[in-house]
Amino acid sequence: MTLNRLLLRAASASKIGSRSAFTAAKPDHTNPNWLRVGLAFGTSAFLWGLLFKQHSTDVHEYKVRNGLE
């Protein structure tokens, strides 16, 4: 059996014998999962806070190293 034929047979068998877990149920957009929404926004706010804190620390360190403060 040639490699091309073997790959074609494996690809067709994997499509027939498996089902994607990600398309098992369609999301309900009228009733969002508020826990996940809250976690997403909370994580985003937390990461932005860390970014601003790190930026302030870096600016302060830059000013001290260059004698600007």
Side-chain angles (χ1 to χ4, degrees), residues 18-52:
S18 66
R19 186 177 84 163
S20 176
F22 300 109
T23 59
K26 292 184 179 181
D28 183 16
H29 296 293
T30 60
N31 188 16
N33 185 347
W34 290 109
L35 177 63
R36 291 181 69 186
V37 171
L39 285 173
F41 281 117
T43 303
S44 180
F46 176 73
L47 289 174
W48 275 105
L50 282 178
L51 179 69
F52 285 129

Side-chain angles (χ1 to χ4, degrees), residues 2 4 8 20 44 51 55 59-60 65:
T2 65
N4 190 18
L8 182 62
S20 176
S44 180
L51 179 69
H55 175 70
V59 168
H60 177 68
R65 281 188 180 188

